[in-house]
Amino acid sequence: MRCVFWILTIFLVLNNVVAFGDDPKQAARSLVNWGSFDGALSDNGLPAGWDVYPVGSTQYDCYTVTDVSRSPPRGLRVASRVPWTRVIAAQLPVEAGTQQAGKAWVRSIPGSDCEWLLRIDYLNEAGVTIGSSPTVSLRPPQGTGDAEWKLIAVEGNSAAFPQAKRLIFVAQQKEGGVAVWDDFDFRQFTASDETNLLNNGGFELLAGNEFPGWRLFTTEPVDVRLSPIFREPLRGWLSVRIVGEAKSAVLSTNRLPIKSGTGYRLGGWHSAVAGTGQFKLVFWKEGMHIATVRSTKPARAEWSASDDVVAPAETVRDATHVTVEYEMSGKFDVAVDALRLRAE
């Protein structure tokens, strides 16, 4: 049985500045008005263009504070006494041919029990919500009142909702929680024309220290620690860094359903301070392993593209599922980004 190794550590790799060529997300400007609450406030106590729902309710507090902030001088304190308090950080027209991405930092107030959500809602011409991005949720251990700042990040693609005319960038906080939010950022950027069957192949969806859709396994029991560090990602805001020593450590997706009689190709980028790793496609039929295909090109100190992992249709014709994996062994300090899986 797979489990995680004792001294393995995973770091979140992120940056807020242009980091790699003309990456469209990095090149786009933030569309949140005063996302760090360092500018003028409107009559509702929030920057212009912001709203809080339910409108007019007395069952929540939502106001800026100066005693707790990630980027002084202010943060946004939210205390919810309704099932969910919704903070709208941006309300914008949808631009054709674009993807969207948003992020925000949040921390709970000691003694409170918090749960947070971040998502992008897409609205039609009548203002009715017709769809949403994947919702990223985060909940600290109950009763801990974890005061550490945590990052939540979400991505969406308006192409999934052709009737969408407007969008809203939404942060939600569950009843009973008291928290401070800061450093909201939201961008629209040119959509990629690359087909990708992975939901989080660029590691741009993040809930605190977890990347939705990815898990870590090793051959021995482990205490896994994840923490944010600042280092240039390959693309976008985030990459994942994996540091440790193990006989075998594997970063893996869940099992993804595939079409029989179809070939698949995986591409990805990696870099290594120490050791290296291999990209893999692992194929399954009704829970039984039937085939594995690996990359051969080792990681270098700088970001480099791996050779594509190609699984011809005749090799995996009986497979029903596939996992995308990155495997390391020995001592390693590697970073991975921009994985792309497509059928061919």
Side-chain angles (χ1 to χ4, degrees):
M1 183 179 74
R2 288 173 159 179
C3 53
V4 279
F5 177 68
W6 284 107
I7 62 171
L8 194 61
T9 304
I10 293 185
F11 298 93
L12 163 68
V13 182
L14 59 106
N15 206 332
N16 295 324
V17 299
V18 175
F20 188 82
D22 55 355
D23 176 16
K25 183 189 291 187
Q26 293 284 14
R29 66 181 180 88
S30 178
L31 300 173
V32 176
N33 188 29
W34 300 121
S36 297
F37 309 101
D38 50 355
L41 302 178
S42 301
D43 292 342
N44 64 358
L46 301 173
W50 289 62
D51 279 313
V52 59
Y53 293 90
V55 174
S57 173
T58 60
Q59 297 305 303
Y60 60 79
D61 301 317
C62 182
Y63 53 86
T64 58
V65 294
T66 57
D67 57 330
V68 181
S69 65
R70 182 174 178 271
S71 298
R74 292 190 288 254
L76 182 69
R77 185 182 189 274
V78 179
S80 179
R81 297 180 293 278
V82 290
W84 288 99
T85 297
R86 301 172 64 217
V87 177
I88 310 300
Q91 307 175 64
L92 304 162
V94 172
E95 297 179 8
T98 59
Q99 293 177 246
Q100 296 77 31
K103 61 179 178 178
W105 290 82
V106 63
R107 52 157 287 188
S108 58
I109 298 299
S112 69
D113 183 19
C114 283
E115 183 176 355
W116 308 294
L117 304 179
L118 202 66
R119 72 172 187 273
I120 305 163
D121 288 341
Y122 296 91
L123 288 64
N124 63 16
E125 196 166 10
V128 177
T129 300
I130 57 174
S132 301
S133 69
T135 297
V136 177
S137 63
L138 174 63
R139 183 171 187 170
Q142 188 170 4
T144 62
D146 187 355
E148 178 186 350
W149 287 100
K150 298 183 181 297
L151 179 64
I152 312 178
V154 66
E155 275 197 327
N157 193 331
S158 55
F161 311 103
Q163 304 303 313
K165 300 299 182 183
R166 293 189 62 80
L167 59 83
I168 56 176
F169 177 36
V170 184
Q172 291 192 193
Q173 185 167 306
K174 195 172 184 179
E175 182 177 15
V178 182
V180 177
W181 296 76
D182 207 349
D183 293 338
F184 283 78
D185 194 331
F186 184 83
R187 306 185 187 197
Q188 292 198 83
F189 52 96
T190 304
S192 170
D193 59 1
E194 296 178 341
T195 299
N196 195 350
L197 301 178
L198 293 177
N199 289 329
N200 197 13
F203 302 98
E204 297 294 292
L205 302 181
L206 177 73
N209 292 320
E210 297 183 2
F211 295 93
W214 292 92
R215 298 180 295 168
L216 181 69
F217 300 99
T218 72
T219 53
E220 299 142 354
V222 69
D223 176 22
V224 178
R225 294 180 294 111
L226 297 89
S227 60
I229 64 170
F230 289 87
R231 175 177 160 184
E232 290 185 355
L234 170 69
R235 295 176 182 167
W237 285 326
L238 309 172
S239 299
V240 63
R241 181 185 176 196
I242 312 159
V243 180
E245 181 177 2
K247 292 180 180 178
S248 175
V250 178
L251 183 67
S252 174
T253 64
N254 298 321
R255 291 181 186 177
L256 309 173
I258 57 175
K259 296 179 180 179
S260 61
T262 302
Y264 289 88
R265 180 182 295 267
L266 173 69
W269 289 68
H270 55 175
S271 65
V273 175
T276 190
Q278 288 182 312
F279 293 97
K280 300 194 304 180
L281 288 175
V282 182
F283 292 90
W284 310 83
K285 180 181 179 181
E286 298 176 354
M288 298 295 293
H289 171 255
I290 63 172
T292 297
V293 187
R294 305 169 183 265
S295 65
T296 59
K297 187 177 179 180
R300 301 197 301 261
E302 68 279 3
W303 284 109
S304 62
S306 170
D307 52 313
D308 282 358
V309 181
V310 181
E314 58 271 18
T315 303
V316 295
R317 61 181 178 272
D318 296 326
T320 58
H321 293 78
V322 65
T323 53
V324 174
E325 302 183 359
Y326 189 78
E327 184 176 22
M328 302 136 287
S329 62
K331 292 183 178 181
F332 47 83
D333 181 350
V334 298
V336 181
D337 202 359
L339 276 72
R340 185 179 74 257
L341 176 67
R342 61 184 186 273
E344 56 178 25

